[in-house]
Amino acid sequence: MDGGAAGENGGAEGADGPRGPELARAVLDAARSRRETAARQRRRTPGGTGTGDGPERRLRGYSGPGPDPRDPQPLGVVLGRLVKARGWAQPAAEATVFGAWEKVVGPEVAQHSRPVKLEEGELTVEARSTAWATQLRLLAGSLLKQIAQEVGHNVVRKLHIHGPAAPSWSRGPRRVRGRGPRDTYG
């Protein structure tokens, strides 16, 4: 045996290429270069995070100390972002007028009135009595300010206040067509 033959057979490289630790090192280097090439291509493409105009990539791993967008968020914050992103702010404010009427106008006014409809910034309110309807008409300016503070400006721009609906005598089981006998109210 001569020294040259022992170097060929006992060494890391054989006739077929690298062996053992040299083979592992070559595979590792090839994988790293592929990953770096792919990362460079992602930065150049419009969808990558390097340009700033594409969609955000999901962050991975430990977020570290301090606030992070991946941290759990309160439900109210998440819903607020969703409402803003979908353009539901105006319908949500309008729904607050009906859903939280007592909070919007106060408990005393809410006890004697109720919102009926809201169309194009005009809120129709029905009072429990004609006296309360008159009182609410006098308070219309302050009611509009209270509503604007609670639900936002330009949600309600005008108030229509009605008294209670009078009973209707035009329908019923004992209705007579025409003028009728005229015995009830002369």
Side-chain angles (χ1 to χ4, degrees):
M1 287 197 157
D2 66 40
E8 275 183 19
N9 295 338
E13 284 193 37
D16 298 331
R19 290 185 172 171
E22 308 319 333
L23 177 63
R25 176 66 62 196
V27 170
L28 182 62
D29 290 340
R32 279 187 184 155
S33 67
R34 275 183 283 183
R35 187 175 64 187
E36 290 171 1
T37 304
R40 273 186 254 128
Q41 288 176 350
R42 276 195 302 262
R43 280 188 225 123
R44 287 186 203 139
T45 58
T49 59
T51 59
D53 60 339
E56 290 186 27
R57 285 185 43 196
R58 183 174 177 183
L59 301 173
R60 294 185 178 186
Y62 175 63
S63 66
D68 188 85
R70 296 173 288 178
D71 291 342
Q73 301 291 319
L75 185 60
V77 172
V78 173
L79 285 177
R81 277 193 229 132
L82 179 67
V83 165
K84 186 177 178 182
R86 299 277 173 108
W88 295 340
Q90 184 74 16
E94 292 174 359
T96 303
V97 171
F98 290 94
W101 180 245
E102 185 173 347
K103 181 182 174 193
V104 170
V105 296
E108 188 177 6
V109 173
Q111 184 180 4
H112 298 285
S113 65
R114 67 181 183 95
V116 179
K117 70 178 180 177
L118 177 60
E119 289 180 342
E120 299 174 8
E122 296 183 3
L123 178 65
T124 303
V125 178
E126 184 178 284
R128 184 170 285 189
S129 66
T130 54
W132 267 100
T134 303
Q135 186 67 25
L136 291 177
R137 285 186 195 105
L138 294 173
L139 293 173
S142 63
L143 285 176
L144 282 172
K145 286 179 185 177
Q146 282 180 316
I147 292 170
Q149 286 176 344
E150 287 293 325
V151 298
H153 296 285
N154 292 329
V155 174
V156 177
R157 293 184 297 273
K158 189 174 180 181
L159 286 176
H160 293 287
I161 299 169
H162 300 288
S168 173
W169 300 104
S170 64
R171 292 189 177 92
R174 294 182 176 85
R175 167 78 175 124
V176 176
R177 294 199 186 277
R179 286 180 51 119
R182 310 304 289 166
D183 61 348
T184 306
Y185 296 108

